[in-house]
Amino acid sequence: MNKAIYPGSFDPITYGHIDIIERAAEIFDELIVGVLENRAKTPLFSVDERVNIIKDVLGQLTNVKVLSYEGLLVDFASQNGAGVIVRGLRAVTDFDYELQMAQTNRVLSSGVDTIFLATPLKYAYLSSSTVREVASYGGDIGKFVPPSVEKLTYEKFGIIKGNQ
Ligand code: PNS
């Protein structure tokens, strides 16, 4: 079975992430969305919240599993029998970091390869940190995240929107 991992922080998941997940799920027999629990950082959403939000948003994709992980991504990949890591590339500014991560992971484990899917232009500007920033000021994030994520993100900032 051709199994891949799509790892990230997903704090929160955006339409850009969802686009990559849907396309990767077509390419691989099974896709595991790996949600990093990074104890050194304080995320907006806890790891359990992020896992549940992603499961809820992806309900219809039967070959996609959502799991959390701590520690090295290559260990998580090998524990789950996945030989491929999928990452989205939004723009050339992502490239240095992504290449370094792919090369590091390849040195750490020669059993794991990274492939990149190009983010569509309409989401090239989009990041979870932008979503958090705009939401924190009560700005409209409806074009960035699905409605359920929009509502939960505003709630985190104590913002109540009239039409939610
Ligand atoms: O969504 P992000 O924050 O850009 O994703 C980065 C992520 C979570 C994929 C990466 O930081 C990760 O997997 N870290 C776990 C620790 C690890 O394996 N580090 C070595 C690779 S540089």
Side-chain angles (χ1 to χ4, degrees):
M1 185 191 272
N2 210 352
K3 221 191 240 193
I5 296 220
Y6 178 50
S9 304
F10 305 108
D11 189 33
I13 190 166
T14 69
Y15 282 131
H17 296 130
I18 294 168
D19 176 272
I20 299 289
I21 292 168
E22 287 173 345
R23 287 156 61 204
E26 297 257 318
I27 298 170
F28 296 97
D29 299 319
E30 185 177 328
L31 182 73
I32 296 168
V33 178
V35 183
L36 179 69
E37 174 163 25
N38 184 349
R39 288 176 194 266
K41 279 193 190 172
T42 309
L44 183 62
F45 291 97
S46 72
V47 72
D48 290 340
E49 286 172 326
R50 283 176 278 148
V51 166
N52 287 331
I53 289 169
I54 298 169
K55 278 184 183 166
D56 178 55
V57 165
L58 301 179
Q60 72 286 6
L61 293 173
T62 51
N63 65 332
V64 179
K65 268 210 278 195
V66 188
L67 301 173
S68 62
Y69 70 100
E70 263 190 281
L72 286 178
L73 174 56
V74 290
D75 292 339
F76 177 62
S78 82
Q79 280 152 18
N80 285 282
V84 178
I85 294 165
V86 176
R87 293 285 287 173
L89 273 184
R90 289 170 298 188
V92 73
T93 42
D94 280 341
F95 187 75
D96 278 354
Y97 169 66
E98 292 297 336
L99 184 65
Q100 188 181 24
M101 191 159 74
Q103 289 170 331
T104 305
N105 284 334
R106 184 82 188 147
V107 171
L108 290 174
S109 169
S110 59
V112 181
D113 249 314
T114 301
I115 67 155
F116 298 104
L117 294 183
T119 300
L121 262 185
K122 65 177 174 174
Y123 300 132
Y125 63 90
L126 186 52
S127 68
S128 299
S129 58
T130 304
V131 172
R132 294 195 302 271
E133 166 113 11
V134 173
S136 73
Y137 293 108
D140 183 4
I141 56 168
K143 289 196 172 71
F144 308 156
V145 297
S148 58
V149 184
E150 185 182 0
K151 182 170 180 287
L152 291 168
T153 306
Y154 287 132
E155 275 174 19
K156 281 283 175 189
F157 291 107
I159 293 168
I160 295 153
K161 292 272 179 178
N163 59 352
Q164 296 286 312

